Amino acid sequence: MNSRRKPAEVLAESRRQDSRAKRQRVLATVDQMLAQGDPVTFAAVARTARVSNWLVYADGVREHIEKARGQQASRPAQERLTRATTSSSSIRTDLELARAEIQALRQERDQLKGVVQRSLGQQLEQVASKDLVTRIDELTRHKHELTARLNQVQGENSELQRRLRESEDDVAAVRSNLRRMIRSGVQAEVS
């Protein structure tokens, strides 16, 4: 076997290694741009990774860039804008507005809570105690029926589990007998 490689093989291997290194650099650049929140475009990736525009459109690389672009597109536009343009005074203003809105919502919630409580109180007063006793009796009877059904199903389940264990034991015995029969049949043929 010839251990020396031809110059063309050496050159081809060198090109393959260079291509793999560039592709890995492009993928790492895309991940870094995603992590930093930089907009991922084909041109920006090629420029940042210092590779040709052709490479970023190549199979295996293009899909990774398109996936990253999709992830960025799914982020709210407000999140992308606030990262770049938010100042401390605007944050304070937003905080004060949010606090005022929270306070207004709490007041509205308390008012609605009071309305609901009054409405429920009126409904309870309208329901006669006789209706409540009848409903309680119905629910108690239904509970007893469900409990009896549960006990019956649990008993059936126990019986089925017992029968399953018996069947498994029978299958194991049949297998054991079959093995013995096969062994004795093989030994009889050998003799």
Side-chain angles (χ1 to χ4, degrees):
M1 179 172 195
N2 190 1
S3 63
R4 293 189 54 171
R5 295 189 305 173
K6 295 179 183 177
E9 294 172 341
V10 173
L11 182 59
E13 179 61 28
S14 174
R15 285 185 179 166
R16 281 193 292 273
Q17 288 177 353
D18 186 42
S19 176
R20 282 193 296 267
K22 285 181 180 179
R23 285 173 180 263
Q24 289 175 349
R25 194 167 63 226
V26 168
L27 298 178
T29 299
V30 170
D31 292 339
Q32 180 183 6
M33 291 175 79
L34 267 177
Q36 293 174 349
D38 297 336
V40 177
T41 63
F42 287 95
V45 170
R47 186 175 50 254
T48 306
R50 298 180 315 280
V51 296
S52 68
N53 284 336
W54 174 87
L55 181 60
V56 297
Y57 287 98
D59 288 340
V61 176
R62 179 185 65 243
E63 294 84 1
H64 194 73
I65 293 173
E66 288 173 347
K67 181 180 175 187
R69 289 174 54 117
Q71 288 175 349
Q72 281 189 334
S74 66
R75 290 184 187 157
Q78 183 64 28
E79 177 184 332
R80 291 191 299 268
L81 290 175
T82 55
R83 186 178 299 134
T85 61
T86 304
S87 68
S88 62
S89 62
S90 68
I91 290 174
R92 275 189 244 113
T93 303
D94 289 344
L95 181 61
E96 289 301 318
L97 289 172
R99 285 180 179 160
E101 185 177 356
I102 289 170
Q103 183 63 32
L105 289 172
R106 284 180 179 160
Q107 289 175 351
E108 183 180 354
R109 177 205 61 199
D110 292 342
Q111 289 173 350
L112 292 173
K113 196 176 182 181
V115 169
V116 168
Q117 286 174 343
R118 285 189 295 277
S119 174
L120 286 175
Q122 290 173 351
Q123 289 176 7
L124 285 175
E125 289 174 1
Q126 292 174 357
V127 175
S129 63
K130 181 180 179 183
D131 293 338
L132 291 176
V133 170
T134 304
R135 181 67 179 143
I136 290 171
D137 289 341
E138 288 174 8
L139 291 174
T140 304
R141 194 171 36 258
H142 189 63
K143 177 193 169 275
H144 290 303
E145 290 170 3
L146 290 176
T147 303
R149 178 69 181 134
L150 175 64
N151 290 336
Q152 177 187 358
V153 168
Q154 286 175 337
E156 291 171 1
N157 185 21
S158 296
E159 175 62 20
L160 288 173
Q161 286 179 357
R162 184 191 61 74
R163 289 173 53 191
L164 176 63
R165 283 191 298 273
E166 288 176 1
S167 296
E168 288 172 345
D169 291 343
D170 291 346
V171 168
V174 167
R175 284 182 182 160
S176 177
N177 287 336
L178 182 60
R179 278 190 215 111
R180 269 189 254 127
M181 287 173 60
I182 289 173
R183 279 190 211 125
S184 64
V186 168
Q187 289 175 354
E189 286 180 16
V190 171
S191 318

